[in-house]
mmCIF file of all heavy atoms in Angstrom:
data_model
loop_
_atom_site.group_PDB
_atom_site.id
_atom_site.type_symbol
_atom_site.label_atom_id
_atom_site.label_comp_id
_atom_site.label_asym_id
_atom_site.label_seq_id
_atom_site.Cartn_x
_atom_site.Cartn_y
_atom_site.Cartn_z
ATOM 1 N N ASN T 1 93.744 139.496 62.190
ATOM 2 C CA ASN T 1 92.592 140.222 62.788
ATOM 3 C C ASN T 1 91.503 139.275 63.262
ATOM 4 O O ASN T 1 90.766 139.562 64.198
ATOM 5 C CB ASN T 1 91.999 141.235 61.790
ATOM 6 C CG ASN T 1 91.698 140.622 60.459
ATOM 7 O OD1 ASN T 1 92.295 139.628 60.025
ATOM 8 N ND2 ASN T 1 90.743 141.219 59.740
ATOM 9 N N PHE T 2 91.383 138.104 62.620
ATOM 10 C CA PHE T 2 90.363 137.129 62.997
ATOM 11 C C PHE T 2 90.958 136.052 63.902
ATOM 12 O O PHE T 2 90.266 135.481 64.746
ATOM 13 C CB PHE T 2 89.759 136.476 61.795
ATOM 14 C CG PHE T 2 88.902 137.375 60.927
ATOM 15 C CD1 PHE T 2 88.682 137.082 59.594
ATOM 16 C CD2 PHE T 2 88.312 138.502 61.461
ATOM 17 C CE1 PHE T 2 87.893 137.918 58.799
ATOM 18 C CE2 PHE T 2 87.522 139.333 60.698
ATOM 19 C CZ PHE T 2 87.333 139.058 59.362
ATOM 20 N N ALA T 3 92.221 135.704 63.672
ATOM 21 C CA ALA T 3 92.871 134.613 64.405
ATOM 22 C C ALA T 3 94.175 135.106 65.012
ATOM 23 O O ALA T 3 95.275 134.706 64.611
ATOM 24 C CB ALA T 3 93.121 133.443 63.447
ATOM 25 N N PRO T 4 94.074 136.019 66.008
ATOM 26 C CA PRO T 4 95.299 136.587 66.596
ATOM 27 C C PRO T 4 96.201 135.598 67.282
ATOM 28 O O PRO T 4 97.379 135.855 67.458
ATOM 29 C CB PRO T 4 94.740 137.618 67.597
ATOM 30 C CG PRO T 4 93.371 137.109 67.921
ATOM 31 C CD PRO T 4 92.864 136.488 66.675
ATOM 32 N N HIS T 5 95.651 134.446 67.663
ATOM 33 C CA HIS T 5 96.449 133.409 68.322
ATOM 34 C C HIS T 5 96.728 132.238 67.401
ATOM 35 O O HIS T 5 97.029 131.124 67.842
ATOM 36 C CB HIS T 5 95.716 132.926 69.565
ATOM 37 C CG HIS T 5 95.379 134.022 70.522
ATOM 38 N ND1 HIS T 5 96.357 134.724 71.235
ATOM 39 C CD2 HIS T 5 94.202 134.572 70.872
ATOM 40 C CE1 HIS T 5 95.768 135.648 71.969
ATOM 41 N NE2 HIS T 5 94.480 135.579 71.788
ATOM 42 N N GLY T 6 96.631 132.482 66.077
ATOM 43 C CA GLY T 6 96.928 131.458 65.107
ATOM 44 C C GLY T 6 96.019 130.266 65.271
ATOM 45 O O GLY T 6 94.801 130.411 65.407
ATOM 46 N N ARG T 7 96.598 129.058 65.241
ATOM 47 C CA ARG T 7 95.778 127.842 65.290
ATOM 48 C C ARG T 7 95.015 127.745 66.617
ATOM 49 O O ARG T 7 94.002 127.030 66.686
ATOM 50 C CB ARG T 7 96.640 126.620 65.075
ATOM 51 C CG ARG T 7 97.881 126.482 65.963
ATOM 52 C CD ARG T 7 97.756 125.516 67.069
ATOM 53 N NE ARG T 7 97.511 124.146 66.652
ATOM 54 C CZ ARG T 7 97.069 123.256 67.452
ATOM 55 N NH1 ARG T 7 96.718 123.582 68.716
ATOM 56 N NH2 ARG T 7 96.875 122.016 67.038
ATOM 57 N N ASN T 8 95.474 128.437 67.647
ATOM 58 C CA ASN T 8 94.756 128.387 68.923
ATOM 59 C C ASN T 8 93.470 129.241 68.910
ATOM 60 O O ASN T 8 92.714 129.255 69.858
ATOM 61 C CB ASN T 8 95.658 128.870 70.038
ATOM 62 C CG ASN T 8 96.781 127.900 70.310
ATOM 63 O OD1 ASN T 8 96.638 126.670 70.100
ATOM 64 N ND2 ASN T 8 97.932 128.399 70.727
ATOM 65 N N SER T 9 93.269 129.993 67.811
ATOM 66 C CA SER T 9 92.030 130.733 67.637
ATOM 67 C C SER T 9 90.946 129.876 66.987
ATOM 68 O O SER T 9 89.822 130.350 66.792
ATOM 69 C CB SER T 9 92.281 131.983 66.773
ATOM 70 O OG SER T 9 93.130 132.899 67.445
ATOM 71 N N ALA T 10 91.280 128.635 66.601
ATOM 72 C CA ALA T 10 90.305 127.765 65.953
ATOM 73 C C ALA T 10 89.073 127.588 66.825
ATOM 74 O O ALA T 10 89.148 127.508 68.037
ATOM 75 C CB ALA T 10 90.946 126.434 65.619
ATOM 76 N N THR T 11 87.915 127.443 66.164
ATOM 77 C CA THR T 11 86.670 127.338 66.902
ATOM 78 C C THR T 11 85.686 126.383 66.199
ATOM 79 O O THR T 11 85.830 126.136 64.967
ATOM 80 C CB THR T 11 86.002 128.697 67.056
ATOM 81 O OG1 THR T 11 84.796 128.587 67.837
ATOM 82 C CG2 THR T 11 85.596 129.253 65.692
ATOM 83 N N ARG T 12 84.752 125.853 66.956
ATOM 84 C CA ARG T 12 83.618 125.121 66.397
ATOM 85 C C ARG T 12 82.353 125.953 66.488
ATOM 86 O O ARG T 12 81.254 125.402 66.252
ATOM 87 C CB ARG T 12 83.451 123.769 67.115
ATOM 88 C CG ARG T 12 84.545 122.765 66.776
ATOM 89 C CD ARG T 12 84.164 121.356 67.191
ATOM 90 N NE ARG T 12 84.083 121.237 68.651
ATOM 91 C CZ ARG T 12 85.127 120.853 69.423
ATOM 92 N NH1 ARG T 12 86.279 120.598 68.861
ATOM 93 N NH2 ARG T 12 84.977 120.750 70.714
ATOM 94 N N SER T 13 82.462 127.221 66.832
ATOM 95 C CA SER T 13 81.293 128.082 66.904
ATOM 96 C C SER T 13 80.792 128.423 65.514
ATOM 97 O O SER T 13 81.458 129.097 64.745
ATOM 98 C CB SER T 13 81.648 129.396 67.646
ATOM 99 O OG SER T 13 80.618 130.325 67.496
ATOM 100 N N ARG T 14 79.595 127.937 65.175
ATOM 101 C CA ARG T 14 79.033 128.137 63.838
ATOM 102 C C ARG T 14 78.860 129.648 63.580
ATOM 103 O O ARG T 14 79.147 130.126 62.465
ATOM 104 C CB ARG T 14 77.756 127.391 63.692
ATOM 105 C CG ARG T 14 77.225 127.364 62.264
ATOM 106 C CD ARG T 14 76.042 126.418 62.123
ATOM 107 N NE ARG T 14 75.658 126.264 60.749
ATOM 108 C CZ ARG T 14 76.172 125.394 59.910
ATOM 109 N NH1 ARG T 14 77.121 124.524 60.324
ATOM 110 N NH2 ARG T 14 75.783 125.293 58.621
ATOM 111 N N SER T 15 78.393 130.368 64.588
ATOM 112 C CA SER T 15 78.143 131.798 64.351
ATOM 113 C C SER T 15 79.445 132.548 64.094
ATOM 114 O O SER T 15 79.465 133.460 63.245
ATOM 115 C CB SER T 15 77.416 132.384 65.596
ATOM 116 O OG SER T 15 78.198 132.263 66.754
ATOM 117 N N LEU T 16 80.502 132.212 64.783
ATOM 118 C CA LEU T 16 81.765 132.909 64.571
ATOM 119 C C LEU T 16 82.348 132.512 63.186
ATOM 120 O O LEU T 16 82.906 133.404 62.498
ATOM 121 C CB LEU T 16 82.761 132.543 65.685
ATOM 122 C CG LEU T 16 84.113 133.259 65.661
ATOM 123 C CD1 LEU T 16 83.921 134.778 65.593
ATOM 124 C CD2 LEU T 16 84.927 132.866 66.888
ATOM 125 N N ILE T 17 82.221 131.266 62.841
ATOM 126 C CA ILE T 17 82.733 130.826 61.506
ATOM 127 C C ILE T 17 81.970 131.558 60.407
ATOM 128 O O ILE T 17 82.558 132.052 59.435
ATOM 129 C CB ILE T 17 82.603 129.303 61.363
ATOM 130 C CG1 ILE T 17 83.569 128.602 62.322
ATOM 131 C CG2 ILE T 17 82.872 128.859 59.917
ATOM 132 C CD1 ILE T 17 83.333 127.115 62.443
ATOM 133 N N GLU T 18 80.647 131.677 60.562
ATOM 134 C CA GLU T 18 79.848 132.422 59.568
ATOM 135 C C GLU T 18 80.296 133.874 59.499
ATOM 136 O O GLU T 18 80.374 134.468 58.426
ATOM 137 C CB GLU T 18 78.365 132.318 59.937
ATOM 138 C CG GLU T 18 77.777 130.947 59.667
ATOM 139 C CD GLU T 18 76.297 130.885 60.034
ATOM 140 O OE1 GLU T 18 75.865 131.698 60.859
ATOM 141 O OE2 GLU T 18 75.593 130.002 59.488
ATOM 142 N N LYS T 19 80.574 134.472 60.642
ATOM 143 C CA LYS T 19 81.006 135.894 60.692
ATOM 144 C C LYS T 19 82.344 136.027 59.960
ATOM 145 O O LYS T 19 82.496 136.938 59.150
ATOM 146 C CB LYS T 19 81.124 136.323 62.145
ATOM 147 C CG LYS T 19 81.639 137.768 62.317
ATOM 148 C CD LYS T 19 81.712 138.137 63.782
ATOM 149 C CE LYS T 19 82.159 139.575 63.997
ATOM 150 N NZ LYS T 19 83.530 139.805 63.533
ATOM 151 N N TRP T 20 83.293 135.150 60.280
ATOM 152 C CA TRP T 20 84.621 135.250 59.655
ATOM 153 C C TRP T 20 84.529 135.215 58.141
ATOM 154 O O TRP T 20 85.059 136.036 57.448
ATOM 155 C CB TRP T 20 85.523 134.123 60.166
ATOM 156 C CG TRP T 20 86.073 134.328 61.517
ATOM 157 C CD1 TRP T 20 86.229 135.502 62.216
ATOM 158 C CD2 TRP T 20 86.628 133.315 62.368
ATOM 159 N NE1 TRP T 20 86.843 135.302 63.407
ATOM 160 C CE2 TRP T 20 87.107 133.964 63.575
ATOM 161 C CE3 TRP T 20 86.810 131.921 62.258
ATOM 162 C CZ2 TRP T 20 87.688 133.263 64.611
ATOM 163 C CZ3 TRP T 20 87.384 131.243 63.307
ATOM 164 C CH2 TRP T 20 87.826 131.901 64.448
ATOM 165 N N TRP T 21 83.857 134.161 57.623
ATOM 166 C CA TRP T 21 83.861 133.951 56.196
ATOM 167 C C TRP T 21 82.836 134.855 55.444
ATOM 168 O O TRP T 21 82.933 134.995 54.241
ATOM 169 C CB TRP T 21 83.669 132.494 55.857
ATOM 170 C CG TRP T 21 84.999 131.792 55.758
ATOM 171 C CD1 TRP T 21 85.772 131.692 54.627
ATOM 172 C CD2 TRP T 21 85.719 131.139 56.810
ATOM 173 N NE1 TRP T 21 86.945 131.018 54.923
ATOM 174 C CE2 TRP T 21 86.919 130.648 56.233
ATOM 175 C CE3 TRP T 21 85.457 130.886 58.126
ATOM 176 C CZ2 TRP T 21 87.868 129.954 56.990
ATOM 177 C CZ3 TRP T 21 86.398 130.187 58.868
ATOM 178 C CH2 TRP T 21 87.569 129.737 58.323
ATOM 179 N N THR T 22 81.923 135.458 56.179
ATOM 180 C CA THR T 22 81.095 136.469 55.564
ATOM 181 C C THR T 22 81.884 137.760 55.362
ATOM 182 O O THR T 22 81.790 138.381 54.315
ATOM 183 C CB THR T 22 79.869 136.757 56.441
ATOM 184 O OG1 THR T 22 79.049 135.606 56.574
ATOM 185 C CG2 THR T 22 79.026 137.890 55.863
ATOM 186 N N GLU T 23 82.731 138.066 56.299
ATOM 187 C CA GLU T 23 83.546 139.294 56.213
ATOM 188 C C GLU T 23 84.759 139.079 55.263
ATOM 189 O O GLU T 23 85.166 140.017 54.604
ATOM 190 C CB GLU T 23 84.065 139.667 57.578
ATOM 191 C CG GLU T 23 82.950 140.153 58.522
ATOM 192 C CD GLU T 23 83.489 140.690 59.830
ATOM 193 O OE1 GLU T 23 84.699 141.066 59.871
ATOM 194 O OE2 GLU T 23 82.720 140.739 60.819
ATOM 195 N N GLU T 24 85.250 137.861 55.134
ATOM 196 C CA GLU T 24 86.322 137.538 54.200
ATOM 197 C C GLU T 24 86.081 136.246 53.514
ATOM 198 O O GLU T 24 86.562 135.171 53.894
ATOM 199 C CB GLU T 24 87.683 137.516 54.952
ATOM 200 C CG GLU T 24 88.889 137.286 54.043
ATOM 201 C CD GLU T 24 88.868 138.181 52.797
ATOM 202 O OE1 GLU T 24 89.271 139.341 52.924
ATOM 203 O OE2 GLU T 24 88.398 137.699 51.716
ATOM 204 N N PRO T 25 85.238 136.275 52.437
ATOM 205 C CA PRO T 25 84.847 135.053 51.775
ATOM 206 C C PRO T 25 85.999 134.271 51.145
ATOM 207 O O PRO T 25 85.894 133.070 50.878
ATOM 208 C CB PRO T 25 83.886 135.527 50.659
ATOM 209 C CG PRO T 25 83.451 136.881 51.111
ATOM 210 C CD PRO T 25 84.599 137.472 51.852
#
């Protein structure tokens, strides 16, 4: 649900990283 493209969904966006790990710590 967060990384539908697997490793190609990786990001350096701080806001998106915060969102992901806030929703699934």
Side-chain angles (χ1 to χ4, degrees):
N1 54 331
F2 292 157
H5 304 293
R7 53 102 61 198
N8 293 330
S9 295
T11 184
R12 288 195 293 269
S13 167
R14 191 171 186 87
S15 61
L16 185 53
I17 293 169
E18 288 180 336
K19 178 180 183 295
W20 281 341
W21 270 273
T22 297
E23 293 186 20
E24 183 46 82

